[in-house]
Amino acid sequence: MISRRALTLGLSAIAVGALTLSAHAETLDAVKKKGVLSVGVKADSRPWGYLDPQGQPIGMEIDLAKNVADRLGVKFEAVIVQSSNRIQFLEQGRVDMLIATMYDTPERRRVIDMVQPHYYSAATNILAPKSANLKSWEELRGKKVCGQQGSVYNKWIERTYGASAMSLPTIEEGYAALRAGNCVGFVYNDLLLEMAAEQPIWAGYTVPLKSEDRQYHSIGVRKGEAETPFGKKLSEIVIDWHRTGYLKELNKKWGIPANEYLEEAAKKYAR
Amino acid sequence: MTQHTVEHQHPLSARSSVPRGRLARTALTAGFVLSVIVVVTVPLYGAYAATGTSAGTLETLAKWAPLILLGFGLNLLMSFIAMGIGTVAGVGLGIAQVSQVSWVRRAAWAATEMFRNTPTLILLFMAMFLLPFELRFGDLVIALPPWLKAILGFSLSMMAYVSEIVRGGLQSIPTTQWEAAEALAFTRRDTLRLVIIPQCFKQMLPPWMNVYAIMIMSTPLASILGVHEGLTITRSAISAEGQPELLAPFYLFLLALFFVYSYPISLWTLRLERRYAIKH
């Protein structure tokens, strides 16, 4: 079966070929002129981006996006995106930028620009029953693990350790499959799994291994925009977030375990 | 309906002493009551089965129900608009399929077959990725949000199905009707408008409703494209709560919404089918 990603890539290639996009004015000017910053955020990644019962997106990344709008002196518009469509939303101009739990990868850099420095980081780990007594990643070879559809963690564990990943549409369905004993563990980012493992319902479970495959999150802007006034402004903002400890503060506010990258970056950018 | 007075009773219904109309009404009411019972009890049972205690889960469900209903509202809206567009376009295409001009007939046939034999999901992907997010005509900007693009995808499917229903309906009318109209010097257009379509309308109604019921069921496909309809919102709600126990009750709630909406339609279709069944 063709993966959704391949299909998405193929169709978007056709789309890019078929479309003649009107030339965009410099985004910073355009944003200030319309008085609104549209940011693509996630609604399925608690605690970074999720919905409240009124249907409004909330979470750490939504706070960050609001902060950017405040600093630019414009209103903030959250546009909910999914991993499968966020790049199209950005390319087609529906959003001005993405803060959508997106890793900075070489594949993505071919189609969009990643604002430097990175504002966040996470690595891969696995949530498994204590009884499985996992000691090393190698033990997962040939075993079945659960993961969320389209996430990078599944591909990584298949490629690196030869586990076979079973993809489920949502994280909770992955959790349910794990609890039903359909797989030896659930692979995802280490921060979320560590948060989960502390909850009472996961009493018999643990995050047993040392995190691997550290990845870094970037604000996404359209191709070529990292070097424009808009991209440069965003870069300044991210540096300021690190310098002032704003990111560490938000990390704590949303109950996320301490993130070593944020500590390092805070030191690096301290004056 | 005049047909009632001349029809032959089906052997099974002949045995019944209850008049037809009342029987159908009773069935409809019973079906609806059943639906309401289902919408209330299924999530309850799901909650009970999943956790053993239903109180907490029910509260959580109650908290999210308005948002999920709103999402379901978008499913309905998409289905209404797609149905409208699909029907208008489909009727045109269906009539073109029986045109006397051969290239019109062939083109209509090709369009019908193409969209009828393409999975709705593929049509949705095409609508999503081949259309820009807004159309510009000078200063006029028309936004094309994902749900609007999804409607377009559904409409194309709907159009092809309606086209086949119309073609079938038109061809089901005995040729003697055409001949009689011709003898009375009706033009082809008037024959269609005054003689043929009024006669096949009744036969086309039940399959048309069937197709609609199928389409409303396929609207959650739009969730794959990021449309914030019922399924997407249900998933977001589960994700916001972060508890795997909520999967069953939340999905069952959504299922119940679809059921309560679709079941009366299917009962009504059945009733119309019985009433309009061809009597010889």
Side-chain angles (χ1 to χ4, degrees), chain B residues 52-242:
Chain B
T53 55
S54 58
T57 310
L58 264 192
E59 265 168 40
T60 316
L61 187 58
K63 188 170 80 183
W64 289 97
L67 194 63
I68 295 176
L69 273 168
L70 204 67
F72 180 65
L74 183 57
N75 288 77
L76 296 190
L77 183 73
M78 287 194 295
S79 75
F80 293 149
I81 303 179
M83 190 70 187
I85 299 174
T87 303
V88 171
V91 167
L93 203 59
I95 293 176
Q97 279 206 82
V98 295
S99 165
Q100 285 183 311
V101 185
S102 98
W103 68 264
V104 171
R105 198 170 56 235
R106 278 183 203 161
W109 172 83
T112 303
E113 290 304 310
M114 188 179 116
F115 291 119
R116 203 166 67 107
N117 294 301
T118 307
T120 309
L121 186 59
I122 304 291
L123 292 176
L124 285 179
F125 269 114
M126 280 168 61
M128 196 57 55
F129 295 116
L130 296 181
L131 293 173
F133 89 100
E134 61 183 22
L135 294 173
R136 281 171 192 276
F137 302 102
D139 280 345
L140 181 71
V141 177
I142 302 169
L144 291 178
W147 62 271
L148 213 58
K149 294 183 186 175
I151 286 176
L152 191 80
F154 289 128
S155 301
L156 288 174
S157 249
M158 200 61 214
M159 173 186 80
Y161 287 123
V162 171
S163 167
E164 274 302 273
I165 292 172
V166 169
R167 184 196 55 77
L170 293 176
Q171 289 179 343
S172 75
I173 303 298
T175 45
T176 48
Q177 296 283 331
W178 289 92
E179 288 157 10
E182 207 178 329
L184 294 169
F186 278 77
T187 60
R188 188 172 163 88
R189 204 183 132 178
D190 281 344
T191 309
L192 265 176
R193 195 165 60 89
L194 299 169
V195 180
I196 306 298
I197 292 180
Q199 291 188 78
C200 60
F201 180 74
K202 289 182 303 189
Q203 283 168 39
M204 295 188 306
L205 197 59
W208 180 79
M209 286 167 67
N210 253 332
V211 166
Y212 174 70
I214 291 167
M215 206 206 41
I216 179 78
M217 295 304 169
S218 60
T219 53
L221 283 177
S223 69
I224 296 171
L225 307 174
V227 176
H228 299 283
E229 47 68 70
L231 183 61
T232 311
I233 290 186
T234 303
R235 283 182 173 160
S236 290
I238 295 169
S239 160
E241 292 295 333

Side-chain angles (χ1 to χ4, degrees), chain A residues 2 4 19-20 23 37 45 55 68 106 120 131 155 160 218 233:
Chain A
I2 309 169
R4 202 165 84 207
L19 284 178
T20 45
L37 177 73
S45 305
V68 174
Y120 210 68
S131 57
K155 275 166 225 144
T160 317
S218 262
K233 180 78 193 163

